[in-house]
Amino acid sequence: MILAGYRRHLPLPGSPATSATMADVNVHDDRPRHPRRIAVAGVSGVGKTTTARRIAGLLDVPHVEIDALHHGPGWVRRPEFLDDVREFLAGDAWVTEWQYRDARPLIAARAELLVWLDLPYWTTTFPRVVRRTVRRRLRREVLWNGNLEAPLRTIFTNPEHIIRWSVSQRHAVAAVVPQLQRSEPGLPVVRLRSQADVDAWLAGLS
């Protein structure tokens, strides 16, 4: 089920499928608790981690940055990655990014809500990817396990450079969400199509 609205509150686990806005969901004082296990989906650079942190702060639940579990020194995948994912998923409350092919099914099976950041790519996401990559490289920002962004010139030589990767994968999430809905039909999906939508939806959590 995709709940296209965003205006006030989180959808409730087990809510019936609806095309209504979030304002139409029953959000009175006798409602069940808000979801406490939330995944944030979107293409690279769209703002998953920023949004996940904001959700975690508003709901007072831990944010687990999944990139920090995945990337070891030298950008090599950590062999403990999936074990660490399973460990935090066993908790009662968390917010994380919905990414990495073999981790996504595990996350979806435990999540109570998926927030899909489906923002315009060329006017919103692509400029964000470029700004973030340039900033990280020029400032030599240390990322997970001591990693640094590659030199900017490698965008011309490395097909997996983050900017090129973002462009090549820009339709990936739109392709996998329908698969998710078939495998996890009871998982509510909130689809947000602009930064204004994201900000307004988050405002409903405060």
Side-chain angles (χ1 to χ4, degrees):
M1 69 188 74
I2 291 183
L3 301 176
Y6 55 83
R7 295 179 184 171
R8 290 293 297 168
H9 294 275
L10 288 164
L12 306 177
S15 297
T18 177
S19 60
T21 65
M22 296 298 297
D24 295 323
V25 177
N26 180 1
V27 292
H28 297 295
D29 290 341
D30 59 350
R31 65 184 182 275
R33 64 176 177 83
H34 286 321
R36 304 269 294 169
R37 300 190 299 273
I38 301 168
V40 181
V43 300
S44 181
V46 74
K48 295 187 297 297
T49 298
T50 298
T51 302
R53 285 173 178 158
R54 293 176 67 184
I55 294 171
L58 289 168
L59 298 182
D60 192 25
V61 301
H63 168 230
V64 179
E65 188 174 3
I66 201 166
D67 278 333
L69 302 182
H70 184 270
H71 295 301
W75 296 106
V76 175
R77 174 177 166 131
R78 296 174 61 252
E80 308 89 351
F81 171 59
L82 286 181
D83 289 337
D84 289 347
V85 169
R86 293 187 180 98
E87 182 177 351
F88 87 76
L89 290 178
D92 292 331
W94 42 260
V95 183
T96 195
E97 300 81 19
W98 191 61
Q99 56 191 49
Y100 300 110
R101 183 175 299 178
D102 50 359
R104 280 175 172 165
L106 304 177
I107 296 169
R110 284 284 293 158
E112 296 176 317
L113 176 71
L114 183 81
V115 179
W116 178 13
L117 306 182
D118 188 22
L119 279 56
Y121 183 80
W122 292 111
T123 58
T124 302
T125 303
F126 182 73
R128 288 179 177 178
V129 174
V130 172
R131 287 194 300 268
R132 182 186 70 182
T133 303
V134 171
R135 184 198 72 235
R136 285 175 171 177
R137 182 59 193 175
L138 294 180
R139 296 180 180 178
R140 299 296 194 271
E141 294 183 15
V142 178
L143 303 174
W144 315 279
N145 290 302
N147 292 306
L148 298 174
E149 289 282 12
L152 295 175
R153 65 179 180 276
T154 60
I155 189 174
F156 302 107
T157 59
N158 183 2
E160 293 192 354
H161 186 283
I162 187 59
I163 294 177
R164 291 178 63 175
W165 174 260
S166 176
V167 173
S168 68
Q169 298 295 308
R170 65 190 184 277
H171 301 305
V173 176
V176 297
V177 168
Q179 299 171 16
L180 168 68
Q181 292 183 287
R182 289 191 290 271
S183 62
E184 299 289 343
L187 177 63
V189 177
V190 172
R191 186 178 189 178
L192 306 175
R193 295 177 178 268
S194 70
Q195 187 59 47
D197 285 2
V198 175
D199 293 339
W201 186 81
L202 289 170
L205 303 184
S206 60

